[in-house]
Amino acid sequence: KAVVSTQSGHYGRGEGPVAPIHWLRSLVSKTLALGGWVERCQAGTLLTSPADLSELFNPAVFLNALRQESARRLNLPINSLEFVSHWGPSSGLSKAKCPVTIEGLTIEGALFDGHKLVECARDSPSNSPISNCSVAWVPAGQGGNKDNQLETPVYYNSLREQQVTSIRIPCPGSPALWKLKSVALILKNQ
Protein backbone atom coordinates (compact mmCIF):
# COMPACT_ATOMS: atom_id res chain seq x y z
CA LYS A 1 0.00 0.00 0.00
CA ALA A 2 1.25 3.44 -0.88
CA VAL A 3 0.82 6.09 1.76
CA VAL A 4 0.02 9.54 0.46
CA SER A 5 1.10 12.41 2.66
CA THR A 6 0.87 16.14 2.26
CA GLN A 7 3.95 18.08 3.10
CA SER A 8 3.44 20.64 5.82
CA GLY A 9 4.63 23.37 3.44
CA HIS A 10 1.40 23.05 1.47
CA TYR A 11 -0.85 23.85 4.43
CA GLY A 12 -2.04 27.43 4.52
CA ARG A 13 -1.60 28.01 0.78
CA GLY A 14 -5.27 27.60 -0.04
CA GLU A 15 -8.17 29.68 1.18
CA GLY A 16 -10.74 28.47 3.65
CA PRO A 17 -10.68 26.27 6.72
CA VAL A 18 -7.89 23.71 7.12
CA ALA A 19 -10.22 20.97 8.38
CA PRO A 20 -12.13 19.38 5.48
CA ILE A 21 -15.43 19.21 7.39
CA HIS A 22 -15.40 22.97 8.01
CA TRP A 23 -14.55 23.61 4.37
CA LEU A 24 -17.39 21.34 3.22
CA ARG A 25 -19.89 23.02 5.58
CA SER A 26 -18.81 26.41 4.24
CA LEU A 27 -19.16 25.17 0.67
CA VAL A 28 -22.69 23.83 1.26
CA SER A 29 -23.75 26.96 3.18
CA LYS A 30 -22.52 29.33 0.45
CA THR A 31 -24.01 27.19 -2.31
CA LEU A 32 -27.41 27.26 -0.62
CA ALA A 33 -27.15 31.01 -0.01
CA LEU A 34 -26.33 31.61 -3.67
CA GLY A 35 -29.78 30.23 -4.49
CA GLY A 36 -31.24 33.28 -2.73
CA TRP A 37 -28.93 35.56 -4.71
CA VAL A 38 -30.12 33.95 -7.95
CA GLU A 39 -33.77 34.39 -6.93
CA ARG A 40 -33.21 38.09 -6.11
CA CYS A 41 -31.40 38.55 -9.40
CA GLN A 42 -34.23 36.95 -11.37
CA ALA A 43 -36.79 39.04 -9.47
CA GLY A 44 -34.80 42.22 -10.17
CA THR A 45 -34.30 42.93 -6.45
CA LEU A 46 -30.60 42.06 -6.11
CA LEU A 47 -29.52 45.68 -5.63
CA THR A 48 -32.60 46.78 -3.66
CA SER A 49 -32.56 44.15 -0.93
CA PRO A 50 -29.84 43.97 1.77
CA ALA A 51 -26.87 41.78 0.84
CA ASP A 52 -24.80 39.62 3.18
CA LEU A 53 -21.42 39.53 1.44
CA SER A 54 -20.22 36.65 3.63
CA GLU A 55 -22.54 34.41 1.61
CA LEU A 56 -20.33 34.85 -1.46
CA PHE A 57 -17.26 32.82 -2.32
CA ASN A 58 -15.37 36.01 -3.25
CA PRO A 59 -17.14 39.23 -2.17
CA ALA A 60 -14.54 41.41 -3.91
CA VAL A 61 -15.74 40.09 -7.27
CA PHE A 62 -19.28 41.27 -6.49
CA LEU A 63 -18.00 44.73 -5.49
CA ASN A 64 -15.95 44.95 -8.69
CA ALA A 65 -18.99 43.94 -10.78
CA LEU A 66 -20.93 46.68 -8.96
CA ARG A 67 -18.16 49.12 -9.94
CA GLN A 68 -18.33 48.04 -13.58
CA GLU A 69 -22.13 48.35 -13.71
CA SER A 70 -21.96 51.79 -12.06
CA ALA A 71 -19.40 52.94 -14.66
CA ARG A 72 -21.68 51.72 -17.47
CA ARG A 73 -24.75 53.46 -16.06
CA LEU A 74 -22.82 56.67 -15.43
CA ASN A 75 -21.10 56.44 -18.81
CA LEU A 76 -17.73 57.07 -17.15
CA PRO A 77 -14.36 55.28 -17.15
CA ILE A 78 -14.17 52.73 -14.36
CA ASN A 79 -11.06 54.34 -12.85
CA SER A 80 -12.89 57.66 -12.38
CA LEU A 81 -15.17 56.26 -9.66
CA GLU A 82 -14.76 56.23 -5.89
CA PHE A 83 -16.29 53.87 -3.34
CA VAL A 84 -18.52 55.64 -0.83
CA SER A 85 -20.57 54.54 2.16
CA HIS A 86 -23.56 55.84 4.05
CA TRP A 87 -24.74 54.61 7.44
CA GLY A 88 -28.51 54.45 7.62
CA PRO A 89 -31.09 54.25 4.83
CA SER A 90 -29.67 54.02 1.31
CA SER A 91 -31.47 57.28 0.51
CA GLY A 92 -28.20 58.97 1.54
CA LEU A 93 -26.82 57.68 -1.75
CA SER A 94 -29.74 58.84 -3.88
CA LYS A 95 -27.44 60.09 -6.66
CA ALA A 96 -25.69 56.73 -6.98
CA LYS A 97 -26.75 54.50 -9.87
CA CYS A 98 -26.21 51.15 -8.11
CA PRO A 99 -26.34 51.50 -4.31
CA VAL A 100 -26.28 48.30 -2.27
CA THR A 101 -27.05 47.85 1.41
CA ILE A 102 -24.66 45.52 3.21
CA GLU A 103 -25.96 43.60 6.22
CA GLY A 104 -24.35 41.27 8.72
CA LEU A 105 -21.23 43.30 9.43
CA THR A 106 -19.56 43.22 12.84
CA ILE A 107 -16.99 45.66 14.20
CA GLU A 108 -13.82 45.05 16.19
CA GLY A 109 -11.77 47.64 18.09
CA ALA A 110 -14.67 50.03 18.68
CA LEU A 111 -18.44 50.23 18.92
CA PHE A 112 -20.77 51.97 16.48
CA ASP A 113 -23.84 53.85 17.72
CA GLY A 114 -25.47 54.12 14.29
CA HIS A 115 -23.93 57.53 13.59
CA LYS A 116 -20.28 57.38 14.68
CA LEU A 117 -17.60 55.26 16.32
CA VAL A 118 -17.65 54.97 20.11
CA GLU A 119 -14.89 53.71 22.43
CA CYS A 120 -15.27 50.18 23.78
CA ALA A 121 -15.99 49.67 27.45
CA ARG A 122 -14.04 47.16 29.53
CA ASP A 123 -16.86 44.64 29.28
CA SER A 124 -17.57 45.15 25.56
CA PRO A 125 -17.48 42.02 23.40
CA SER A 126 -14.50 41.64 21.07
CA ASN A 127 -16.79 42.16 18.10
CA SER A 128 -20.29 43.59 17.90
CA PRO A 129 -22.95 43.64 15.19
CA ILE A 130 -23.51 47.03 13.59
CA SER A 131 -26.28 48.60 11.55
CA ASN A 132 -26.57 48.12 7.81
CA CYS A 133 -24.31 50.18 5.58
CA SER A 134 -25.16 51.39 2.08
CA VAL A 135 -22.31 51.52 -0.41
CA ALA A 136 -21.96 52.64 -4.01
CA TRP A 137 -19.50 53.72 -6.66
CA VAL A 138 -19.88 57.39 -7.61
CA PRO A 139 -17.89 59.84 -9.75
CA ALA A 140 -14.66 60.85 -8.00
CA GLY A 141 -15.09 64.00 -5.94
CA GLN A 142 -18.82 63.47 -5.40
CA GLY A 143 -18.43 61.17 -2.40
CA GLY A 144 -19.05 63.91 0.11
CA ASN A 145 -16.99 65.14 3.03
CA LYS A 146 -14.32 62.69 4.18
CA ASP A 147 -13.27 64.69 7.25
CA ASN A 148 -13.70 62.86 10.54
CA GLN A 149 -14.23 59.54 8.79
CA LEU A 150 -12.07 56.51 9.35
CA GLU A 151 -11.27 54.45 6.27
CA THR A 152 -11.93 51.09 7.88
CA PRO A 153 -10.72 47.82 6.40
CA VAL A 154 -13.37 45.16 5.82
CA TYR A 155 -12.02 41.66 6.34
CA TYR A 156 -13.65 38.42 5.31
CA ASN A 157 -13.32 36.96 8.82
CA SER A 158 -11.96 37.80 12.26
CA LEU A 159 -8.55 36.31 11.42
CA ARG A 160 -8.02 39.43 9.26
CA GLU A 161 -6.15 37.50 6.58
CA GLN A 162 -8.19 38.58 3.57
CA GLN A 163 -9.20 42.22 3.16
CA VAL A 164 -12.26 42.64 0.95
CA THR A 165 -12.51 46.44 0.77
CA SER A 166 -12.51 49.56 2.95
CA ILE A 167 -15.55 51.46 4.17
CA ARG A 168 -15.55 54.93 5.70
CA ILE A 169 -17.12 55.24 9.16
CA PRO A 170 -17.81 58.61 10.84
CA CYS A 171 -15.67 59.10 13.94
CA PRO A 172 -15.30 61.79 16.59
CA GLY A 173 -11.87 63.39 16.64
CA SER A 174 -8.91 62.40 14.52
CA PRO A 175 -9.21 59.28 12.34
CA ALA A 176 -5.52 58.59 13.12
CA LEU A 177 -6.39 57.92 16.77
CA TRP A 178 -9.03 55.39 15.74
CA LYS A 179 -6.60 53.73 13.34
CA LEU A 180 -4.29 53.03 16.30
CA LYS A 181 -7.14 51.06 17.89
CA SER A 182 -7.11 48.67 14.90
CA VAL A 183 -10.79 49.22 14.14
CA ALA A 184 -11.99 46.79 11.48
CA LEU A 185 -15.22 45.49 10.01
CA ILE A 186 -15.77 41.76 9.66
CA LEU A 187 -18.07 40.03 7.16
CA LYS A 188 -18.18 36.68 8.94
CA ASN A 189 -17.33 35.62 12.48
CA GLN A 190 -14.94 32.70 12.70
Side-chain angles (χ1 to χ4, degrees):
K1 286 184 174 181
V3 177
V4 178
S5 66
T6 303
Q7 294 179 354
S8 61
H10 291 287
Y11 286 115
R13 287 192 175 180
E15 291 184 22
V18 175
I21 191 71
H22 299 298
W23 185 85
L24 288 171
R25 283 185 186 140
S26 176
L27 175 68
V28 170
S29 172
K30 289 175 188 291
T31 302
L32 292 172
L34 284 177
W37 284 72
V38 169
E39 288 173 10
R40 290 193 308 267
C41 190
Q42 290 171 341
T45 61
L46 183 63
L47 299 180
T48 58
S49 57
D52 183 349
L53 297 183
S54 71
E55 295 176 341
L56 300 174
F57 288 100
N58 190 343
V61 171
F62 172 76
L63 294 173
N64 192 44
L66 186 67
R67 182 180 186 189
Q68 292 175 21
E69 183 61 23
S70 297
R72 279 188 202 102
R73 291 186 185 184
L74 291 165
N75 200 26
L76 291 172
I78 196 167
N79 62 350
S80 68
L81 301 179
E82 68 177 307
F83 193 60
V84 297
S85 59
H86 179 77
W87 296 90
S90 62
S91 60
L93 297 173
S94 59
K95 294 180 182 175
K97 295 292 183 181
C98 301
V100 173
T101 300
I102 300 174
E103 67 179 358
L105 293 171
T106 60
I107 190 167
E108 290 182 352
L111 299 173
F112 185 69
D113 68 3
H115 303 287
K116 65 183 179 324
L117 291 175
V118 179
E119 296 234 8
C120 291
R122 272 184 281 161
D123 58 349
S124 296
S126 60
N127 58 6
S128 303
I130 61 172
S131 57
N132 292 353
C133 173
S134 297
V135 297
W137 291 93
V138 298
Q142 294 185 11
N145 186 1
K146 295 180 180 105
D147 294 337
N148 293 328
Q149 290 192 2
L150 176 64
E151 187 162 334
T152 311
V154 179
Y155 293 101
Y156 185 73
N157 60 35
S158 58
L159 297 176
R160 297 187 182 199
E161 295 171 334
Q162 179 185 3
Q163 184 175 344
V164 176
T165 190
S166 294
I167 293 178
R168 292 190 176 275
I169 303 178
C171 62
S174 169
L177 295 174
W178 290 97
K179 191 171 263 195
L180 290 174
K181 298 174 190 285
S182 297
V183 177
L185 296 173
I186 310 296
L187 292 181
K188 179 181 180 185
N189 285 326
Q190 219 29 21

